[in-house]
Amino acid sequence: MVSHQGGTMEKDLESNCTPQMERKTLTAPAPFADETSCLCQAPHEKLTIAQARLGTPVDRPVRVYADGIFDLFHSGHARALMQAKTLFPNSYLLVGVCSDDLTHKFKGFTVMNEAERYEALRHCRYVDEVIRDAPWTLTPEFLEKHKIDFVAHDDIPYSSAGSDDIYKHIKEAGMFVPTQRTEGISTSDIITRIVRDYDVYARRNLQRGYTAKELNVSFINEKKYRFQNQVDKMKEKVKNVEERSKEFVNRVEEKSHDLIQKWEEKSREFIGNFLELFGPDGAWKQMFQERSNRMLHALSPKQSPVSSPTRSRSPSRSPSPTFLWLPHKPSPPFSPKAASASMSSMSEGDEDEK
C-alpha cells in the first residue's frame, strides 16, 4: 500500500514536473536556452537565500543566473562563474550573453563578436546553459520565463542605461547574490596592454605572415616595422654568438683547469719516481754500488793456493818433458887468456872422467 502510494506520487510529480536535461558540461558544450527550455510545469515557489543554502527544495536545483559581455573570455570571467555555480549545494547555472547591438550601444565596441562570445561561454565547465541575446536590464518577465531564483554578480553598483545600478531592483527583491571580482585581470586591462604595445604586436603579426592591409598599417610603418624586425634578428644572432662564445670560453677554462691539475699530478708523480731512483737512498745508487763491487772483484788478482792436491797420472800417458828456462846471462868479453883457461879446464875435466 505504501509502495503503491509512493508510486502514485512519483507519477504525479513526473506529470507536473518533467526532469531537466542531464548535465553534460564536462563532456559536451553547454546547450543554448532557446534549444532547451525549462520544462517544469509545477508552481515555481520563491526561495530565500537561507533555504537555498540548506539544499531545498529537494525536487529541483536552484536556478542561478549570471550575465555579462564576456569579451576576450579570461580567468576573471571563469572565477566569477565558478563562484555563481558553487553558491548553493545544488544549483543550475544559466549565463546570459548580450548581443553585439546592445553591447556596442551601452558599453562599446568588442574584440570578439557575439557568436564567438557565445561559444566561449558554452565551453566553460561551470556553465549549464547559455542564454543568447540577453537583456541589458532584467525584467520580471525574463526572470519568470527562465525560472530564475537568484542573480549572481559582483556587488559594485553597475551604472548604465540611465540607471545608477541596473541590479538595484534585484537587490531589493532579495534575489541578488554577490560574487567577488578577480583583481589584476579584466578585458579592459588586456586591451590596454595591446594598445600600449601596439608596435610590438604589429611587428609580430607582420613577421607571422599578416599583410599591412589586414593590420591597417601604412606603407611607411610597414617598412619601418620590417626593418626593425631585421634589426631584432641581427641582435638575436649576435646575442646567440655571444652566448655560444661564453659557453666555449667556459668549456676551455674548465678543460685547461683539468689539464693543469693533471699536469701537476703527473709532475708530482715524476718527481717522486725520480727521487726514488736517484735520491740519496735511491735504488739506482744501490744498483750502481753493486755493479761497481762486481767489477772491482772481477779486476782484482786472485791468490794461488799454498798446496794443491796431486793428481794421479794415467799410466798410458808419459809425462811431458819439463823444460827449465834459465835466465840468460850476458857473456863476458872475449880475451885470449880466458879462452886458454877454458880450454885447460875442459881438458882437465876429460882426464878426470877417464
Side-chain angles (χ1 to χ4, degrees):
M1 184 66 179
V2 175
S3 62
H4 175 70
Q5 289 179 351
T8 304
M9 291 177 64
E10 289 177 358
K11 290 181 180 179
D12 293 340
L13 287 173
E14 288 178 0
S15 60
N16 293 331
C17 182
T18 304
Q20 295 182 355
M21 292 181 62
E22 183 181 356
R23 188 182 179 217
K24 298 180 179 179
T25 52
L26 296 180
T27 57
F32 289 117
D34 51 5
E35 295 176 356
T36 174
S37 60
C38 179
L39 303 176
C40 182
Q41 302 299 326
H44 195 78
E45 69 276 10
K46 186 176 181 179
L47 298 176
T48 64
I49 295 177
Q51 288 176 333
R53 286 177 176 167
L54 291 174
T56 56
V58 295
D59 59 336
R60 67 172 182 86
V62 178
R63 295 173 68 84
V64 180
Y65 176 79
D67 60 358
I69 309 303
F70 302 106
D71 190 21
L72 298 176
F73 189 82
H74 53 74
S75 61
H77 295 142
R79 288 179 63 85
L81 297 176
M82 179 187 69
Q83 294 177 61
K85 177 66 179 177
T86 57
L87 286 172
F88 308 109
N90 183 22
S91 62
Y92 185 84
L93 180 60
L94 301 92
V95 180
V97 184
C98 299
S99 64
D100 287 344
D101 292 338
L102 280 178
T103 305
H104 298 168
K105 179 180 178 181
F106 292 110
K107 190 169 185 178
F109 192 75
T110 58
V111 177
M112 301 169 65
N113 59 43
E114 59 185 26
E116 293 168 339
R117 292 185 285 117
Y118 297 154
E119 285 298 320
L121 266 298
R122 290 186 69 196
H123 291 82
C124 178
R125 64 181 300 179
Y126 310 112
V127 178
D128 295 302
E129 188 175 315
V130 176
I131 301 175
R132 292 182 283 197
D133 193 13
W136 198 260
T137 303
L138 301 178
T139 62
E141 293 78 16
F142 180 82
L143 298 175
E144 179 63 27
K145 176 183 177 181
H146 295 282
K147 307 297 182 183
I148 295 172
D149 293 310
F150 299 101
V151 176
H153 199 274
D154 62 80
D155 202 15
I156 301 173
Y158 196 92
S159 59
S160 180
S163 174
D164 294 336
D165 188 2
I166 61 175
Y167 297 103
K168 183 178 180 180
H169 63 290
I170 304 295
K171 295 176 181 177
E172 292 174 350
M175 298 175 63
F176 186 85
V177 184
T179 58
Q180 299 296 322
R181 292 178 65 90
T182 301
E183 298 296 332
I185 183 68
S186 68
T187 301
S188 298
D189 290 340
I190 295 173
I191 294 175
T192 300
R193 297 178 203 172
I194 296 172
V195 173
R196 181 188 60 200
D197 299 325
Y198 169 78
D199 290 350
V200 174
Y201 294 113
R203 289 166 52 191
R204 170 185 177 273
N205 283 7
L206 282 173
Q207 193 172 3
R208 288 176 176 264
Y210 288 87
T211 64
K213 184 178 181 180
E214 291 173 327
L215 297 173
N216 195 24
V217 173
S218 66
F219 177 80
I220 296 176
N221 286 336
E222 178 190 4
K223 299 303 179 184
K224 182 182 73 173
Y225 293 150
R226 294 193 183 279
F227 176 74
Q228 289 175 344
N229 287 337
Q230 295 296 327
V231 172
D232 289 345
K233 287 182 180 179
M234 292 299 298
K235 288 181 179 178
E236 189 68 22
K237 289 182 179 179
V238 172
K239 184 179 178 180
N240 292 336
V241 171
E242 290 179 353
E243 291 178 355
R244 291 176 183 175
S245 300
K246 289 180 180 178
E247 292 178 359
F248 176 75
V249 171
N250 292 334
R251 287 199 297 267
V252 171
E253 289 180 352
E254 292 176 358
K255 289 184 178 180
S256 61
H257 180 73
D258 294 339
L259 290 173
I260 291 173
Q261 187 175 2
K262 290 180 180 179
W263 182 83
E264 290 178 351
E265 293 176 357
K266 292 294 182 181
S267 299
R268 294 191 191 99
E269 183 179 355
F270 176 78
I271 293 171
N273 293 336
F274 182 84
L275 293 176
E276 190 174 335
L277 285 174
F278 302 103
D281 299 327
W284 179 261
K285 182 178 180 181
Q286 295 178 0
M287 184 174 64
F288 180 77
Q289 289 178 351
E290 290 179 359
R291 292 188 176 181
S292 299
N293 294 334
R294 290 178 183 176
M295 292 178 66
L296 291 174
H297 184 71
L299 293 175
S300 61
K302 295 181 179 180
Q303 296 180 357
S304 59
V306 177
S307 61
S308 60
T310 57
R311 293 168 57 185
S312 61
R313 296 179 179 178
S314 175
S316 61
R317 293 184 179 181
S318 58
S320 58
T322 302
F323 297 93
L324 181 62
W325 294 91
L326 297 176
H328 177 71
K329 293 182 180 181
S331 59
F334 178 78
S335 63
K337 291 181 178 181
S340 60
S342 61
M343 292 295 291
S344 61
S345 62
M346 289 178 63
S347 61
E348 289 178 356
D350 292 335
E351 289 178 357
D352 291 334
E353 291 178 356
K354 292 180 178 181

